[in-house]
Amino acid sequence: MLFPMIATATQNVNGVLRSFPTWPVYLIGALPPVWWFYLGVTGGLGVEPIREFEHLLGELALQMLVVVLAITPLRQFTGIALIKFRRALGLLSFYYITCHLLVWLVLDVGDLAKVWADIVKRPYITVGMAAFVLLIPVAATSNNYAIRKLGAPKWRRLHQLSYLAAILGAVHFVMLAKTWHAEPLLYLAVVCGLLAVRALPKWKRMRA
């Protein structure tokens, strides 16, 4: 009796998700950086508003990458399909990363010569910048035209760059902490765990 009830509940959830448009996801997702900027200007982000703004954006970007990575395992284990919203969530993660980078470039450093020196000399910045660069082609091809132009197999291979970018983003957070804090390590463990779960069916097929 339990399994039919779960199946019915899953079908109901998926029915609601199918009827829900994607544009509110973009609209609502665009608001946090704007709100945090307002808080920073009005004194709502503490004594170091730029650093706090930068940290909030970076962590939100990593959280959104985790959500995107979790969509396929969620469908595998529960049947709940969020595939419809994956593109929106992925583009929002790139938006947050871009805002994070701009805050660091413009408000934190403010000197292009020093920016390049920091990228070269500070490993955690090098890793974070590598994650951002890997996501540029992913974001640029997150549209139906790119899928038609590249073909689905090539498009899927290109978008696997987001897996490496997510790992690098988590490593960037760990390195940024400079000491072994639990939160950054948890993000890294979750990212690696989700990627392992995604890879498991392919590994089983190869072994078969």
Side-chain angles (χ1 to χ4, degrees):
M1 184 67 182
L2 179 61
F3 291 109
M5 290 176 62
I6 293 175
T8 301
T10 300
Q11 291 174 359
N12 291 337
V13 170
N14 286 337
V16 172
L17 292 173
R18 281 193 296 270
S19 65
F20 194 81
T22 56
W23 66 263
V25 177
Y26 288 103
L27 181 62
I28 295 170
L31 295 178
V34 178
W35 173 244
W36 289 331
F37 179 79
Y38 168 77
L39 289 179
V41 171
T42 57
L45 289 184
V47 295
E48 294 186 349
I50 293 175
R51 181 162 297 185
E52 181 65 15
F53 189 23
E54 192 177 328
H55 170 76
L56 288 169
L57 288 168
E59 188 165 8
L60 181 59
L62 187 55
Q63 290 168 350
M64 192 61 72
L65 284 173
V66 167
V67 171
V68 173
L69 290 178
I71 288 175
T72 296
L74 181 68
R75 184 180 60 175
Q76 290 173 347
F77 290 106
T78 70
I80 295 175
L82 292 172
I83 302 296
K84 175 181 179 179
F85 304 101
R86 183 161 57 185
R87 179 183 298 177
L89 297 173
L91 287 172
L92 284 172
S93 67
F94 183 74
Y95 164 61
Y96 300 143
I97 293 169
T98 303
C99 290
H100 172 71
L101 177 62
L102 287 174
V103 170
W104 175 67
L105 288 173
V106 179
L107 300 180
D108 192 353
V109 180
D111 182 345
L112 289 179
K114 192 173 185 301
V115 164
W116 178 248
D118 280 351
I119 293 173
V120 173
K121 293 180 180 179
R122 299 175 184 265
Y124 73 90
I125 296 179
T126 308
V127 170
M129 188 61 68
F132 172 74
V133 171
L134 287 174
L135 285 175
I136 292 174
V138 175
T141 57
S142 291
N143 53 75
N144 293 333
Y145 173 78
I147 297 174
R148 292 194 301 270
K149 193 72 175 177
L150 293 172
K154 288 183 179 178
W155 183 87
R156 281 194 293 267
R157 285 196 296 271
L158 176 64
H159 278 241
Q160 288 175 354
L161 290 173
S162 62
Y163 304 161
L164 179 56
I167 294 174
L168 291 176
V171 170
H172 168 72
F173 192 15
V174 171
M175 296 173 72
L176 182 62
K178 297 181 181 178
T179 56
W180 295 106
H181 290 298
E183 185 183 12
L185 292 172
L186 180 60
Y187 277 110
L188 180 58
V190 169
V191 168
C192 292
L194 287 171
L195 289 176
V197 170
R198 291 174 63 94
L200 188 59
K202 295 180 182 178
W203 183 78
K204 286 183 176 179
R205 285 196 298 269
M206 292 174 62
R207 296 271 296 180

